[in-house]
């Protein structure tokens, strides 16, 4: 007597949850970025007053604290400079190109960072926001102010590299160290730009928001175009287990039939 097979349970929605989370994050970041952009473009007076008050206070501190100002200049011009971030990205691309399976990811990383730079420069040209001016400046910078190129570039590059580390399944110590360094760098570069008087606080906030939006969008594109790589981590010995060649056990009580 043949027993009836029970219907197979539905597959767990392992890919739907990250997709919904990405859409929600992108919507939130997009709305916040658009709102800030509109307020800056309209020169909303309460926002300008807030910018001016914070900037004047930090400039007084920067003039009084020469040691901190020198340290901020070194950090922002060498350690957290956009070209330093792009160099870090280039090194990562070279390492990815050494693995044939990761060459698509290398190209994706280059395109994402390049598009972020183009968006950043386009917004600067479109708004043409003036930078802070003081009779006793502690540092100088040129071109338009919004959004901060330092803040946006650091957010994009370090955010994407963090996601790659997580995707490749690095060890817990390395992951936590990289996370702490990235958070300190992204926050620190924004604070140094305001401290040195070359950006308004909302310039830095705009760089963070547009940078985070770029990271979320780029990760969503990668997951969409390379779904086969989502569950595997290069460097791990496990990966996706190949299907077994042994036949599945029979659930019927009848003797096996001879092949026709």
């Amino acid at each position: 007597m043949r027993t009836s097979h029970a219907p197979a349970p539905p597959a767990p929605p392992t890919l739907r949850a990250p997709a919904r989370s990405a859409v929600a994050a992108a919507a939130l970041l997009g709305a916040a970025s658009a709102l800030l952009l509109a307020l800056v473009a309209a020169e909303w007076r309460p926002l300008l007053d807030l910018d001016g008050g914070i900037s004047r206070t930090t400039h007084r501190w920067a003039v009084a604290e020469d040691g901190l100002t020198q340290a901020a200049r070194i950090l922002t011009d060498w350690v957290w400079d956009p070209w330093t971030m792009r160099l870090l990205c280039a090194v990562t691309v070279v390492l990815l190109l050494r693995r044939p399976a990761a060459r698509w990811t290398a190209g994706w990383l280059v395109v994402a960072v390049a598009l972020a730079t183009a968006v950043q420069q386009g917004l600067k040209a479109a708004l043409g926001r003036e930078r802070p001016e003081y009779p006793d400046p502690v540092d100088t910078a040129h071109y338009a102010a919004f959004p901060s190129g330092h803040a946006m570039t650091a957010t994009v590059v370090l955010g994407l590299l963090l996601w790659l580390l997580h995707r490749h399944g690095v060890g817990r110590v390395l992951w936590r160290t990289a996370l702490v360094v990235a958070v300190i760098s992204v926050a620190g570069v924004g604070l140094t730009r305001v401290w040195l008087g070359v950006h308004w606080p909302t310039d830095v906030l705009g760089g963070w928001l547009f940078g985070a939006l770029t990271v979320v969008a780029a990760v969503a594109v990668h997951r969409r175009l390379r779904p086969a790589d989502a569950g595997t981590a290069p460097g791990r010995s496990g990966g996706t287990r190949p299907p077994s060649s042994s036949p599945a056990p029979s659930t019927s009580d009848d003797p096996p039939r001879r092949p026709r």
Side-chain angles (χ1 to χ4, degrees):
M1 181 176 180
R2 185 180 300 273
T3 58
S4 60
H5 293 277
T14 54
L15 297 179
R16 293 180 182 178
R20 284 196 292 264
S21 300
V23 170
L28 181 61
L29 289 170
S33 301
L35 177 60
L36 181 61
L37 178 62
L39 294 178
V40 170
E43 298 183 352
W44 191 48
R45 177 52 56 185
L47 188 68
L48 299 183
D49 292 342
L50 179 63
D51 268 344
I54 296 175
S55 297
R56 285 190 294 270
T57 300
T58 54
H59 178 69
R60 289 196 299 269
W61 294 345
V63 172
E65 300 291 340
D66 185 65
L68 288 177
T69 301
Q70 292 295 333
R73 189 179 293 115
I74 293 173
L75 288 171
T76 196
D77 289 343
W78 295 98
V79 180
W80 297 326
D81 184 76
W83 285 107
T84 304
M85 295 294 150
R86 293 175 187 131
L87 178 61
L88 179 61
C89 178
V91 172
T92 305
V93 168
V94 171
L95 294 177
L96 289 172
L97 288 175
R98 297 175 61 184
R99 300 175 60 91
R103 288 174 182 172
W104 190 94
T105 299
W108 162 84
L109 182 58
V110 171
V111 171
V113 174
L115 286 177
T117 302
V119 169
Q120 171 206 130
Q121 295 300 316
L123 289 174
K124 284 178 177 287
L127 292 180
R129 191 185 197 190
E130 297 293 334
R131 294 178 183 266
E133 293 184 3
Y134 304 102
D136 52 347
V138 297
D139 201 357
T140 58
H142 306 286
Y143 200 41
F146 185 92
S148 168
H150 282 67
M152 184 170 177
T153 303
T155 303
V156 170
V157 172
L158 296 180
L160 293 178
L161 295 187
L162 274 180
W163 181 76
L164 287 175
L165 286 176
H166 178 71
R167 174 177 172 268
H168 284 227
V170 297
R172 182 177 300 178
V173 174
L174 177 58
W175 163 250
R176 290 180 177 177
T177 302
L179 180 61
V180 170
V181 171
V183 170
I184 292 176
S185 298
V186 171
V189 70
L191 295 177
T192 58
R193 303 309 284 169
V194 177
W195 180 272
L196 295 173
V198 292
H199 273 296
W200 305 104
T202 49
D203 298 338
V204 172
L205 179 59
W208 286 337
L209 287 175
F210 281 103
L213 179 60
T214 302
V215 171
V216 171
V219 169
V221 168
H222 194 290
R223 286 175 170 167
R224 176 77 174 180
L225 298 181
R226 305 290 288 185
D229 298 339
T232 60
R236 288 184 176 180
S237 59
T240 303
R241 181 175 295 179
S244 175
S245 58
S246 59
S250 175
T251 59
S252 173
D253 295 332
D254 297 338
R257 295 182 179 181
R258 295 181 181 178
R260 295 180 179 178

